[in-house]
Amino acid sequence: MDAPTIFDLLDRLAFLRGAPSVVLLLAAAFVAVVAWDLRLVIAAVFVHYLLAGFLFVDVLDPRLAFVYTLAGLFVTAILLVTAWQVNWGRRPSGLAADEASRLGLADTRPLGPFSVTQRGLLRLGFTTAVFGAVLWLTRAPGLFASTVPIEPAYLEPAIAGLLALGLVGLVTSAEPLPSGVGLLLFLSGFGLFYGFLDQSLAMTVALVAAQLIVALVVAYLAQARYLPVDVLD
């Protein structure tokens, strides 16, 4: 039996094409920004890359869209290994209050069965507001009318949502991994937008390289923040 091609897989998953991918993608991006557990964040990033691949098919050659998705899987793997190495971002046990303050690790506050930080609540508020604005955009498309054609206008909420949610995640977190995830979401939105302007192989390679470089830088910064200096040396 021959292995299925990219086009065979697209035919089998045709029910996800279009608006369903946009809705699920925005939901995954929302979770990636507001989730308090890095395991949920990375799972949402993984789903976001898979769904973004379906949307890139409507912008780029399917083979280039597959390259972007494959790069997203490598980025997710880098984030997963890094999060595991830093114990999923938890505070080291036995850390004194002055040491935690020096490292910039915020104290958590109980919220029902969960523990959250003030910055986390701020991020939740901003993300919810942005998500509501993106939902409103679905009722009045045309934000990118000069760039996005009428046929794939359903991509506008995905582009705006990824750009806005990515910026929220980037500016409302002081931790390398959550901030890096926000930047990666922003780059996905930028890639979808710029795909209508330049569909060349060189541009696709540049976007893929940017994603991989961001993931590697975030991995190093996260390890430098949480791991002992002698481990990094």
Side-chain angles (χ1 to χ4, degrees), residues 17-211:
R17 299 282 298 275
S21 288
V22 172
V23 173
L24 294 175
L25 174 66
L26 292 177
F30 181 88
V31 173
V33 174
V34 304
W36 62 92
D37 191 321
L38 283 178
R39 288 168 291 190
L40 289 175
V41 171
I42 294 173
V45 171
F46 173 73
V47 173
H48 136 265
Y49 275 118
L50 292 180
L51 295 169
F54 283 107
L55 299 183
F56 271 104
V57 168
D58 297 330
V59 180
L60 306 173
D61 183 283
R63 288 161 291 193
L64 295 180
F66 178 76
V67 170
Y68 186 90
T69 305
L70 188 62
L73 300 184
F74 280 108
V75 169
T76 305
I78 292 172
L79 297 180
L80 178 63
V81 172
T82 302
W84 173 74
Q85 288 177 329
V86 300
N87 195 26
W88 309 106
R90 301 188 186 98
R91 292 177 54 174
S93 58
L95 198 64
D98 58 336
E99 293 174 327
S101 177
R102 187 166 59 251
L103 290 173
L105 299 176
D107 292 328
T108 58
R109 297 185 177 185
L111 181 65
F114 307 114
S115 295
V116 297
T117 63
Q118 290 183 344
R119 189 180 291 272
L121 291 176
L122 178 67
R123 185 163 60 249
L124 176 61
F126 274 113
T127 306
T128 302
V130 166
F131 196 76
V134 172
L135 291 179
W136 175 84
L137 179 63
T138 61
R139 302 178 56 186
L143 181 62
F144 304 112
S146 60
T147 304
V148 179
I150 297 177
E151 293 77 9
Y154 59 85
L155 290 176
E156 288 191 356
I159 295 171
L162 288 173
L163 291 174
L165 292 173
L167 286 177
V168 170
L170 179 62
V171 303
T172 60
S173 178
E175 303 295 328
L177 275 170
S179 296
V181 167
L183 182 54
L184 290 170
L185 294 177
F186 180 87
L187 289 175
S188 290
F190 176 80
L192 279 173
F193 174 78
Y194 203 79
F196 288 102
L197 301 176
D198 187 347
Q199 301 179 358
S200 65
L201 175 61
M203 194 63 209
T204 302
V205 171
L207 290 172
V208 166
Q211 297 265 354

